[in-house]
Amino acid sequence: MDPLAELMQAVKARGRGAAIGYVCSYTPEELLEASGESYTRVIGSNSTELADSAIPTFTCRFARRCLQQMLEGELKRVVGAYTCDTVRGVASIASWRGVESCFINIPRDISKKRSLEYLVRELEKLAEFLGAAEGGVEEAIEVCEEDRRAVMRLAELRAVEEPPVTGVEAYLVELSGMLMPKRRHLELVQELLDTLPSRSGATGARVMLIGSTLTNIKLLEAIEAEGCVVVYDDLCTGCRFYWGLAPASGKPLERIAARYVSRAKCPCVTPFSERAEYITEQARRFRVQGAIFLLQKFCDPHLFEYPALRERLESIGVETMLFETEEGEAEVEKLRIAVGGFIERLGG
Amino acid sequence: MRASRLASAREISYAIGARVLAAKLYREQGGKVAWVTALSPVEVLYAAGIMPLYPEQYSAACGAFKTSLKLVEKAEEAGYSQDLCSYFRCHIGHVLSGEGPLGGLAKPDILLLSGNLCLTRVKWWEILSEKLKAPLFHLDIPFVAEEDSWHLEYVRWQIEELMEFLAEAGVEVTLDSLKRSVELSDEASKLWNEVMDLRKVRPCPMGARDAFTSMFLIVTCPGHPVAVVLLKRLLKEVRERVADGRGALEEEKFRVMLDNIPTWYDLWFVDYLEERGAISVAETYTYSVWSPRLDFSKPLESLARKYLYAGLNESFERRIKAALEVAKEFEVDGAVIHVNRSCKPYSSWAYELKNALRDELEIPSAVFEADMTDPRVFSREQVRTRLDALIEAMSERARR
């Protein structure tokens, strides 16, 4: 089977059947891998019926769908990181309703020794909860790092003039890695990388995406249907999950903790100045002409930084547009039209 | 008939307003001013002679002065979403336009941020730091679902770091001055808790309006003598009412508990309840969160504990159990739960709290959605319907 087709299948299956679910890209997947149990990222159910009677509807819909998935009871256990206020709320409700769960705190300034020590303590707590033995963690780190390297290699190829993959294809690679067994994902990405030299390049205005989560691929398809190519995404269900590697040596949990220093920055745990620097650097590196803020409605961390980040991008010549979404089917056409106007502004 | 007001609570409201004006004079004379988030260790600032101002409280005041709408619209014009916290929008609207009541807030020399209640304030203070180019200290307080020892150590270490940060800014905090400030803070806690506990008495001596006004003192001045002085006066007045058997209402029919930050621009719902004989005897917003007892011989550990186990920073398990305890001790007949669009962390427990009150104690609730400072999403009609249903349910419960 074509590797992309299998990755697409994994996205469609949404990790169904896994025993453990994890919330947030700041969850150390190495510990899940080392647990020996099947696991998946929680990306939500289609319905929000149970969740809507548990949390106000002015909570982002993605989070409500995730809460729904947790309350439906298919997952035996849920783990994650307390990053945004909504995740805290969702985790608190799930725990209160008896879902077996364990969440960790991510210190804000991990460059400090005491903060790093604190994070290691949190990781120990999670490792214990998951039953991840130290030897297993070491091996799991290698698998996860190999997968990250492969996905980042693919992402880096999008910096060239005519990228060998479209934004939709690259995103399938990224999202599927959170929803299927890690080793199989790695094999497929490597297989795909081997076929890339023979592919023709994608053309169109070069665009980057900024936001938190995206699970409705049709939205991404609608963007590229308007004649642009998404060459980088700053999404936590996309590149942000993979970007940055752990140091090559050290104690396993310290290596995992240290990776958090170098990984892609999320607005929940990163001061704005660092985030703005990171985003503008990526915009330059991937030579983007425009940035689309594809924000989940009610996603406070991103909405807070939007005005200043927009200003920063525009100051380096990157045009921007904002589209708030709840990922509904009716939004697909609206987004397509909005992007059409945006591409015209880019001169595409 | 509405609740009769306490003279000492009115004094407190004057003192709070006066602080905003005093800060300007203080700064003009060379004193340092800090903008701080609520539930930050201001005991350290008071020990250093720095005057803390609270943008959140200022936004609440803007609501009460009915100027918040104009300010939130200023923020929205600048690109900030209408879905963001209205305290933030109100304050950033003030920063961007210079407009606001009481002549505005004195500019800060230092920004102090505690991450114990929400991420909103983290992003807010980062924006302030960018805009005002003022040095920011971020006290990174983890969320405490479990009582693990390393959380406390982590926060304690950061309070030491805060003292170093202040020393670098040219302000020394000695251990003796910190102990004194923590001692004053503890005294204020003790007084506040006594006042709150006296509301268990039937008839209840103090209503919600006085509680909301007075709480600003325990929020903003722990560690400053003014809190002790004014809370003593408040306690004295409340005690007198209790001794005389005088309630805030002439005829107390129902005892209710209010949840969440109130709709500052329109406390009509409080009056509506009082006119029907329902007095608020406890508010989850005013009660206990602000006033744990402190051991001044261990100032750093005491402060770390106070600001770590800080209300919204704790698990539902702890918070809901505490709320049920209050409902029992205060003999609450019903609850009014404000699902506040501006405070997601506070509102995320609304339905669980309502269910727990009903299932554990057979206490009915009225739940309404609104916003603490943005009046555009408040509908008296919607709230009235819910309150009428609550009164009916409480009457029914009383008949059983």
Side-chain angles (χ1 to χ4, degrees), chain B residues 199-218:
Chain B
R199 298 171 77 196
K200 288 176 189 167
V201 175
R202 276 180 194 266
C204 174
M206 179 186 196
R209 278 182 181 269
D210 283 337
F212 286 137
T213 303
S214 310
M215 72 171 279
F216 283 123
L217 200 58
I218 192 72

Side-chain angles (χ1 to χ4, degrees), chain B residues 272-339:
Chain B
Y272 190 82
L273 286 167
E274 288 173 355
E275 281 160 5
R276 279 143 194 84
I279 184 87
S280 173
V281 295
E283 302 82 24
T284 60
Y285 191 43
T286 61
Y287 190 75
S288 78
V289 175
W290 313 97
S291 52
R293 299 301 304 274
L294 305 171
D295 178 354
F296 69 90
S297 70
K298 296 177 188 164
L300 296 176
E301 195 190 313
S302 290
L303 292 177
R305 189 170 286 283
K306 173 177 178 182
Y307 294 106
L308 178 63
Y309 296 101
L312 300 184
N313 207 46
E314 298 183 274
S315 68
F316 279 15
E317 186 82 9
R318 292 168 73 109
R319 287 173 55 205
I320 291 177
K321 274 186 185 155
L324 293 178
E325 223 25 66
V326 169
K328 267 193 286 189
E329 283 181 19
F330 285 72
E331 298 178 344
V332 161
D333 302 307
V336 179
I337 299 174
H338 170 203
V339 184

Side-chain angles (χ1 to χ4, degrees), chain A residues 106-109 115, chain B residues 113-115 137-142 154-155 158:
Chain A
I106 310 293
R108 292 280 296 184
D109 187 354
S115 305
Chain B
L113 151 71
S114 288
F137 186 89
H138 179 176
L139 191 70
D140 180 26
I141 302 187
Y154 182 53
V155 178
Q158 290 180 76

Side-chain angles (χ1 to χ4, degrees), chain A residues 58 82 85 93 96-97 105 107-108 112 114 118 121-122 125 267-268 271-272 297 300 304 307 312, chain B residues 79-80 83 88 118-119 122-123 126 130 138 140 142-143 145-146 150-151 154 157 161 313 316 344 352:
Chain A
F58 51 77
Y82 296 118
D85 293 334
I93 292 169
W96 173 250
R97 296 252 180 135
N105 285 289
R108 292 280 296 184
K112 288 182 180 164
R114 295 287 284 266
Y118 173 82
R121 295 299 299 266
E122 289 287 273
K125 174 181 81 179
C268 299
F272 174 74
K297 188 162 171 59
D300 291 353
F304 267 111
R312 208 60 83 84
Chain B
Y80 293 106
D83 295 325
F88 161 74
C118 60
L119 183 65
V122 175
K123 303 311 291 178
E126 281 172 8
E130 283 274 315
H138 179 176
D140 180 26
F143 183 66
E146 302 90 16
W150 55 90
H151 300 313
Y154 182 53
W157 161 66
E161 271 210 316
N313 207 46
F316 279 15
K344 294 184 177 87
E352 305 300 335

Side-chain angles (χ1 to χ4, degrees), chain A residues 42-333:
Chain A
V42 177
I43 62 165
S45 296
N46 288 326
S47 148
T48 55
E49 203 185 331
L50 292 172
D52 289 348
S53 63
I55 197 163
T57 49
F58 51 77
T59 307
C60 96
R61 186 158 184 273
F62 174 76
R64 282 185 282 130
R65 284 173 38 225
C66 289
L67 178 59
Q68 174 82 20
Q69 188 179 348
M70 293 180 214
L71 297 180
E72 279 169 356
E74 195 184 304
L75 295 162
K76 287 200 195 83
R77 287 187 286 174
V78 176
V79 299
Y82 296 118
T83 41
C84 70
D85 293 334
T86 298
V87 167
R88 282 187 186 189
V90 162
S92 299
I93 292 169
S95 168
W96 173 250
R97 296 252 180 135
V99 175
E100 202 186 329
S101 58
C102 179
F103 279 68
I104 60 168
N105 285 289
I106 310 293
R108 292 280 296 184
D109 187 354
I110 308 169
S111 63
K112 288 182 180 164
K113 189 169 161 274
R114 295 287 284 266
S115 305
L116 211 57
E117 284 168 6
Y118 173 82
L119 180 54
V120 170
R121 295 299 299 266
E122 289 287 273
L123 292 173
E124 282 169 358
K125 174 181 81 179
L126 185 61
E128 194 182 324
F129 177 82
L130 288 167
E134 199 165 325
V137 175
E138 215 149 337
E139 197 187 325
I141 291 176
E142 298 318 319
V143 177
C144 295
E145 288 284 282
E146 197 54 42
D147 191 51
R148 280 176 200 136
R149 270 193 288 269
V151 177
M152 280 166 67
R153 195 151 70 238
L154 184 102
E156 298 281 8
L157 290 173
R158 297 157 76 192
V160 302
E161 187 61 36
E162 289 183 6
V165 285
T166 64
V168 172
E169 290 167 335
Y171 191 67
L172 283 178
V173 169
E174 295 156 10
L175 181 59
S176 60
M178 302 165 214
L179 302 167
M180 68 189 295
K182 197 91 297 199
R183 288 168 203 269
R184 182 61 188 149
H185 183 255
L186 175 58
E187 282 170 8
L188 291 170
V189 181
Q190 281 167 339
E191 210 178 300
L192 182 66
L193 281 166
D194 291 341
T195 66
L196 292 185
S198 60
R199 291 175 128 229
S200 54
T203 55
R206 300 174 67 85
V207 162
M208 80 187 284
L209 283 187
I210 298 171
S212 53
T213 57
L214 176 69
T215 58
N216 185 350
I217 305 291
K218 285 182 195 161
L219 291 170
L220 197 47
E221 287 170 346
I223 291 172
E224 291 199 313
E226 284 304 300
C228 64
V229 50
V230 175
V231 293
Y232 183 73
D233 73 73
D234 173 63
L235 299 176
C236 80
T237 46
C239 280
R240 208 147 79 202
F241 181 80
Y242 296 94
W243 219 261
L245 296 169
S249 60
K251 289 182 183 167
L253 295 187
E254 286 174 9
R255 286 178 69 197
I256 295 173
R259 176 179 174 256
Y260 282 37
V261 181
S262 65
R263 62 156 280 165
K265 312 293 182 197
C266 158
C268 299
V269 295
T270 314
F272 174 74
S273 51
E274 254 181 68
R275 228 331 261 154
E277 203 177 304
Y278 167 75
I279 294 288
T280 48
E281 188 190 307
Q282 295 299 68
R284 285 201 185 98
R285 191 167 171 189
F286 288 89
R287 296 180 293 130
V288 308
Q289 297 159 267
I292 299 176
F293 287 86
L294 189 63
L295 305 186
Q296 292 280 339
K297 188 162 171 59
F298 303 117
C299 178
D300 291 353
H302 281 276
L303 289 169
F304 267 111
E305 68 170 27
Y306 164 69
L309 195 54
R310 176 190 63 188
E311 205 177 295
R312 208 60 83 84
L313 283 165
E314 288 176 356
S315 75
I316 60 161
V318 176
E319 290 281 338
T320 65
M321 72 162 262
L322 167 67
F323 190 87
E324 284 188 62
T325 180
E326 294 200 300
E327 300 202 58
E329 293 302 311
E331 292 174 15
V332 175
E333 184 58 14

